[in-house]
Amino acid sequence: MVTESPWPASDPRMRDVRGAFLSSLRRVVGNSGGVAVATSGGLDSLAVLSNVLLEHGRQRKITAVAVEMTDDRGQSNIPVVRGLLEAIGSPCDLRVAPISQQPAGVPAWHPEGPRLDALPGANRLLVELAHEAGAEVLLTGDGADELLGSAQYLTPALLRRGRWRTLRTYWQDHRGEYRPTRQLEMIAMLSRLTPRRRRAMMYLACSWPELCRNPPHDFLAEPYRGIASDWTNAWIGSLVRLHERHHASLAAMEAWSDLYPHQRLRTAGLVRNEDPFLEPRFVDRAKRLPLHRRYDARHPHPYWRMKSQVVKLVPTTALARLPTAKQIFSRAIVSRVDPAGPVAENLNDNGMLSPRAHSPDLDPMVATRILEVEQWLSTALELGYELVD
């Protein structure tokens, strides 16, 4: 069940994570002669690229690699990437492949289980671009949102530190997904008056109501549907116990839930893959940053205010070209799914899927997960593995 460590006590002396992040970069780069950075045009990848150039740009070949995609607003990410490279005066090369391009190979298969990235083909393209550039390691900005993004339920912490002038902006920037922000923040302030177990259950009801209802897993056939439901119930119970025992505030529960469970993607092949924001020693250090320091109302844009710790990692010369909103590529992800439903021959042949799995109105994210499991199973069978009861 839940095995990750609880959220630790914060260190009030910490104001940012810049020094720890530079140390993380040095550890993940190691002795690699060539370094590639997966660059999307967002804050997180820019923080990685700019600091790699600062730390290693004179001694090693640095290459930015990018897959060109159109975001949900109809804009390409590549002009943004080029503008940011120009803003930081980057001496590195940029290699680009369109998302329509088929990679030469397929993402590496691992016996531990399927890859759970949204665009495995695009990640394989990035690896191939890095390999062609002579890189020995490919760095990404994965994990920055989960580890350093400003979350809900910070009102009590802000009030304790006299930052009441910040509250209006903070409430405007943090839109409650299932309940109004005002209601969620009032619950956070009153939660300390409730018993610890009830507090943990209150948090789950506010932030993860779909878990509390235990999704029906109706895309699975029996007995797999029942197994999945039983496992989900047991996992929720272990989550309640973790929060009850270790987390006194809803903010700490939210910070833990943002980061865990989080799968670090294995390399898609050819080149070693590293995520500086998820490097274990950096994660341990960043978790001790007081949660209220993730939010800075002095920035002019909500995106910057909620990612203030990442903005601190970016050169000031880039601020004029920095994106003011996060680029979302949900259409690119959904485009992987056949409108008639996912094609999963092996899962069907082995009786794992119900007719619901082939419905056109199936949740697209569920459909992508089915595709990923099908691809993993198909490759396993090709490699000589057999299904057993």
Side-chain angles (χ1 to χ4, degrees), residues 320-339:
R321 305 290 289 272
L322 213 57
T324 58
K326 185 178 180 67
Q327 282 189 294
I328 306 295
F329 300 97
S330 61
R331 294 178 185 173
I333 297 171
V334 172
S335 67
R336 297 175 55 205
V337 181
D338 189 320

Side-chain angles (χ1 to χ4, degrees), residues 41-333:
L43 276 173
D44 307 333
S45 59
L46 179 64
V48 174
L49 178 61
S50 60
N51 284 287
V52 165
L53 288 167
L54 177 67
E55 289 290 298
H56 302 290
R58 294 182 180 179
Q59 301 88 17
R60 320 197 185 185
K61 180 183 178 183
I62 312 295
T63 306
V65 295
V67 171
E68 182 169 22
M69 295 189 291
T70 301
D71 68 15
D72 290 358
R73 297 172 296 177
Q75 298 177 359
S76 168
N77 61 325
I78 298 305
V80 179
V81 170
R82 294 188 188 281
L84 290 172
L85 294 180
E86 180 182 341
I88 64 175
S90 168
C92 69
D93 296 328
L94 172 64
R95 297 189 176 221
V96 178
I99 194 172
S100 58
Q101 178 178 319
Q102 289 297 314
V106 296
W109 185 87
H110 296 273
E112 296 93 335
R115 295 179 62 85
L116 296 179
D117 43 339
L119 294 167
N123 285 333
R124 174 67 189 196
L125 279 174
L126 289 170
V127 164
E128 292 178 0
L129 290 173
H131 183 67
E132 291 167 5
E136 297 174 21
V137 62
L138 172 64
L139 307 182
T140 82
D142 288 356
D145 279 338
E146 294 83 358
L147 181 61
L148 294 176
S150 173
Q152 202 83 56
Y153 307 116
L154 288 182
T155 294
L158 294 173
L159 287 175
R160 282 197 301 272
R161 286 153 184 86
R163 293 177 59 184
W164 58 272
R165 294 180 184 273
T166 299
L167 289 181
R168 181 177 180 181
T169 306
Y170 170 77
W171 285 20
Q172 289 174 343
D173 291 345
H174 293 74
R175 303 289 183 182
E177 185 174 357
Y178 299 104
R179 296 172 182 268
T181 296
R182 184 182 299 273
Q183 185 179 94
L184 292 174
E185 297 301 321
M186 291 299 296
I187 290 173
M189 288 190 288
L190 296 173
S191 63
R192 286 184 176 273
L193 303 177
T194 62
R196 294 182 70 98
R197 181 171 181 81
R198 182 176 295 275
R199 188 186 312 162
M201 297 175 71
M202 182 188 304
Y203 164 72
L204 289 176
C206 289
S207 288
W208 301 94
E210 71 279 16
L211 278 183
C212 298
R213 292 191 295 268
N214 191 346
H217 305 102
D218 56 358
F219 57 91
L220 292 174
E222 292 291 2
Y224 305 101
R225 185 185 307 178
I227 293 170
S229 293
D230 290 345
W231 187 93
T232 301
N233 279 330
W235 186 82
I236 294 170
S238 67
L239 189 57
V240 170
R241 289 191 293 273
L242 173 91
H243 290 321
E244 176 188 1
R245 295 170 184 171
H246 300 291
H247 300 146
S249 71
L250 269 60
M253 298 178 194
E254 183 83 337
W256 188 95
S257 297
D258 283 346
L259 188 61
Y260 300 112
H262 189 82
Q263 183 201 45
R264 292 188 64 184
L265 292 177
R266 299 176 290 267
T267 178
L270 297 175
V271 175
R272 179 168 60 93
N273 187 97
E274 295 285 354
D275 312 306
F277 285 107
L278 294 174
E279 190 272 331
R281 287 167 64 182
F282 176 72
V283 170
D284 182 67
R285 185 64 176 153
K287 284 163 65 174
R288 299 181 185 280
L289 179 78
L291 293 176
H292 69 275
R293 295 202 182 280
R294 294 184 180 188
Y295 183 78
D296 191 339
R298 293 172 295 182
H299 290 303
H301 309 289
Y303 182 44
W304 295 13
R305 294 194 286 265
M306 297 172 68
K307 295 289 290 287
S308 65
Q309 287 293 325
V310 180
V311 172
K312 287 183 177 183
L313 300 174
V314 174
T316 55
T317 55
L319 292 181
R321 305 290 289 272
L322 213 57
T324 58
K326 185 178 180 67
Q327 282 189 294
I328 306 295
F329 300 97
S330 61
R331 294 178 185 173
I333 297 171

